Amino acid sequence: DSGWTAYVYLRMSGDVGEYNGDHVEATFTKGKIKIAKGTTDLENGSYMNYNNGQVLLADASDYEFINQTQTSATVDYYDAMWQFNPELIPLFKENGINEVDFAAFVWFRHTFIDVTISGSSITSQRTRKNCWLGIAATEEREQDGDTYDVPVGGIYGCFDDNVDGSVGETLKMMFKNKMTDNRDDLLTFINTSDDGTVFQYGDEGFRFECECFDENGATGIPGENEVPCWEYDGPGGAEDCPPEIEGGCE
């Protein structure tokens, strides 16, 4: 849409893998995302069945190895992740349609990962910096008296040989989304809990749009190895002092 200043699209064909199983690379991936910080091509992808088949994921990425030596490197990694309900597939088939005028929800991140290399294999990896760059723009729609926030865009698919996106099925789909990279939108998304509570700056559990870690990397335990991104000196560099911190970060 020529009126979208920020957008992402993806065309991808491939077999569905298990989220926690072996990686199954798509046979074809072509995508592009544009936000205020720049444009990124997405040329690697995969479909994944998540949460016991309750969610389907389409992941598309672009990466390069930087600071590389014989035994180590840093992966400069961009990825966009779409998520949608697998019940869409039987609905498409029952109604004899290939396209809908709403989108799957998608987010876009930029991550730096230190890796250890032995021969031709990566033997360990440590996330050093992770930043949320964009999420799907939404609009309110009303159905049967209820109002929903629906991602702006569209989904297209060919499902002749599909049932419900189970592991092993082949998906051939296209996605397009209007995006937002507005900081307030990102902070609301990042800080919304499962019960709908939105953490504010000063609340326990509040997170900024970037998280940074020392040389030991992220562990999955909140706060462990984490350093303020304005004091961070690892790959990707430091961030500016967040405006929420009165008086600055000195």
Side-chain angles (χ1 to χ4, degrees):
D1 189 316
S2 60
W4 296 354
T5 57
Y7 64 84
V8 61
Y9 71 78
L10 174 69
R11 297 166 52 204
M12 192 162 73
S13 299
D15 293 343
V16 179
E18 181 66 49
Y19 179 76
N20 290 317
D22 293 335
H23 177 73
V24 180
E25 186 72 19
T27 55
F28 175 86
T29 304
K30 182 176 178 61
K32 184 184 293 289
I33 186 163
K34 178 181 180 296
I35 58 174
K37 288 187 175 182
T39 301
T40 303
D41 291 322
L42 304 168
E43 299 180 347
N44 308 281
S46 63
Y47 287 112
M48 289 171 283
N49 190 294
Y50 177 68
N51 197 17
N52 296 318
Q54 296 185 48
V55 179
L56 285 175
L57 303 175
D59 184 50
S61 64
D62 180 64
Y63 63 89
E64 64 174 329
F65 287 87
I66 60 174
N67 305 328
Q68 189 165 5
T69 69
Q70 288 187 333
T71 58
S72 66
T74 297
V75 184
D76 183 355
Y77 186 79
Y78 290 90
D79 75 313
M81 179 80 80
W82 285 259
Q83 57 184 36
F84 57 99
N85 192 324
E87 291 181 5
L88 275 177
I89 295 175
L91 287 175
F92 269 98
K93 298 182 70 170
E94 289 169 12
N95 290 281
I97 59 175
N98 293 95
E99 187 172 7
V100 291
D101 65 349
F102 58 85
F105 188 79
V106 60
W107 45 252
F108 180 51
R109 296 183 306 183
H110 186 196
T111 307
F112 290 89
I113 306 167
D114 283 347
V115 297
T116 303
I117 301 170
S118 178
S120 59
S121 300
I122 293 175
T123 56
S124 69
Q125 56 184 28
R126 302 169 301 285
T127 298
R128 297 295 308 279
K129 183 178 182 181
N130 178 49
C131 294
W132 299 87
L133 300 184
I135 58 172
T138 62
E139 63 182 2
E140 286 191 350
R141 291 196 184 183
E142 185 176 336
Q143 182 177 1
D144 300 328
D146 294 321
T147 302
Y148 303 92
D149 284 330
V150 178
V152 179
I155 304 172
Y156 184 96
C158 301
F159 301 113
D160 290 345
D161 298 323
N162 299 95
V163 177
D164 55 9
S166 295
V167 172
E169 290 188 5
T170 299
L171 293 183
K172 300 178 180 180
M173 301 184 69
M174 297 191 290
F175 306 88
K176 64 177 182 180
N177 286 81
K178 181 179 181 181
M179 298 290 285
T180 174
D181 53 9
N182 178 276
R183 185 170 183 266
D184 289 341
D185 294 337
L186 292 174
L187 289 178
T188 298
F189 168 69
I190 296 165
N191 289 289
T192 299
S193 63
D194 291 341
D195 65 5
T197 302
V198 180
F199 296 124
Q200 304 296 324
Y201 176 68
D203 295 339
E204 183 178 356
F206 174 86
R207 294 186 295 159
F208 288 114
E209 64 271 35
C210 287
E211 295 177 303
C212 299
F213 303 88
D214 64 21
E215 62 276 5
N216 296 307
T219 64
I221 299 174
E224 188 168 61
N225 299 335
E226 189 169 357
V227 297
C229 281
W230 53 93
E231 298 177 359
Y232 171 74
D233 62 358
E239 295 292 308
D240 292 336
C241 181
E244 288 84 1
I245 299 179
E246 295 183 6
C249 297
E250 296 296 332

